Amino acid sequence: MAAPADAAVLVGLGSELDLPVVEQAAQEASDHGRPLHLLNTFDWRAAFDADTVAAPRDQAEKLIARAAQLAHQTEPGLTVRGEIVESAMLPTLIRRSEAAFLLAVGDSGMAGSGQCVPAETTAVQLAARAGCPLLVVRREPPPQGPVLVGVDGSPSSHLALQWAVECAARRDARLLALRVVEYDEDTDAVAEQLTEALARHTGRDNTVPTECRVVRGDPAEVLIDTSRHAQVALVAARGDEPGRAMLGAVAQSLLYHSPAPVVVVRGLAKKPLTGPTTRLARRKQP
């Protein structure tokens, strides 16, 4: 089922550590002309283990109120809704993502942890199973670098390229389209294909500065290294088999190791990119 034209940017709030997610999600919602929907889940079983039954519910309401205030401070005039659901967070976000324009969550401390991250981590599960693009926000603010998108030539990666063009336009940022190839591949031929693909999405009158870069190496390593200087990195959930519950090795590596916010693009075929009150070029590069 296609998402409605006023589908919201949905934020999964687990704790105060997720407040940086609210700021970036509010900017995305404003840029796309979408409302912001803040969602927190509440477990009555855990409430009975607390000092008082009312305490966890009170904390959830305070978290939603603080997040809504932060969203309005970040983007005055933004439509913000808050909701507390008596359910587990992961299945609730997966279900709600089917009707969302974009889902935003924190990274659970993945970036820079240097530790093995379990596949059950919420951000990883959502990247594999969500019904819309997923924005994973880091705790540290990103640099004001380019918008980076990894392209491998698959149809899924071209949907990521489509989203990246829109993203760069709204951020008034440079777009860097990166293709990593094997050592025996013809880089000139691949570069021509990438340039043609980018031109199809930007059009003749495009004002977004773009760069196509083709390099040899390991795709995950190259993208992670390049993302250190990007304000956001985009990648398809899986290039060769974009089915539900499937997450490719490159997307997974970016989630685990990139210091930049990551957008895992999926579900675009059923969701329009633009909202009714789209604003372009809102943030300037230094």
Side-chain angles (χ1 to χ4, degrees):
M1 181 176 66
D6 61 346
V9 172
L10 177 65
V11 179
L13 284 173
S15 71
E16 291 187 354
L17 293 175
D18 293 326
L19 289 177
V21 180
V22 176
E23 294 182 85
Q24 291 197 35
Q27 293 169 354
E28 292 293 333
S30 179
D31 285 350
H32 287 278
R34 303 277 175 169
L36 186 70
H37 191 153
L38 307 171
L39 188 144
N40 179 261
T41 58
F42 177 76
D43 186 353
W44 274 110
R45 290 175 297 178
F48 285 109
D49 294 331
D51 294 336
T52 67
V53 175
R57 178 77 186 195
D58 291 341
Q59 292 173 359
E61 291 177 351
K62 289 178 180 178
L63 178 61
I64 288 289
R66 183 176 178 186
Q69 182 181 30
L70 179 59
H72 285 303
Q73 290 175 348
T74 304
E75 294 294 341
L78 182 66
T79 300
V80 179
R81 299 193 298 267
E83 182 182 9
I84 300 174
V85 180
E86 295 178 8
S87 177
M89 177 68 82
L90 181 59
T92 300
L93 290 179
I94 292 173
R95 184 174 63 255
R96 293 294 186 89
S97 71
E98 295 291 342
F101 175 76
L102 174 71
L103 171 60
V105 295
D107 74 347
S108 304
M110 285 191 293
S113 67
Q115 300 178 357
C116 180
V117 181
E120 292 77 17
T121 300
T122 298
V124 178
Q125 285 292 308
L126 289 172
R129 301 167 63 188
C132 69
L134 173 73
L135 169 63
V136 178
V137 177
R138 309 303 186 182
R139 294 176 182 175
E140 297 296 325
Q144 286 300 306
V147 170
L148 170 66
V149 57
V151 183
D152 64 7
S154 66
S156 296
S157 73
H158 285 287
L159 287 177
L161 181 59
Q162 176 188 5
W163 182 281
V165 169
E166 293 278 351
C167 181
R170 298 175 196 284
R171 292 167 178 251
D172 196 25
R174 180 170 63 92
L175 174 63
L176 172 57
L178 179 62
R179 176 81 180 267
V180 183
V181 298
E182 301 287 344
Y183 286 93
D184 58 350
E185 290 188 70
D186 186 342
T187 56
D188 290 338
V190 174
E192 183 177 355
Q193 294 172 4
L194 182 57
T195 300
E196 291 176 354
L198 183 58
R200 288 197 297 270
H201 291 296
T202 56
R204 294 182 179 181
D205 298 326
N206 177 58
T207 58
V208 176
T210 61
E211 176 186 356
C212 293
R213 188 182 301 176
V214 178
V215 299
R216 293 187 173 94
D218 179 82
E221 292 180 0
V222 173
L223 278 168
I224 290 169
D225 185 62
T226 307
S227 72
R228 301 185 192 282
H229 308 288
Q231 60 179 277
V232 64
L234 297 93
V235 67
R238 185 179 175 97
D240 59 347
E241 190 178 354
R244 185 61 62 86
M246 300 295 292
L247 186 63
V250 174
Q252 190 165 331
S253 294
L254 274 178
L255 283 177
Y256 288 176
H257 303 297
S258 172
V262 173
V263 176
V264 178
V265 180
R266 67 182 321 142
L268 281 189
K270 63 180 183 179
K271 292 177 173 66
L273 286 183
T274 55
T277 57
T278 294
R279 296 189 300 163
L280 297 180
R282 193 180 59 83
R283 288 191 292 280
K284 292 287 184 179
Q285 291 262 95

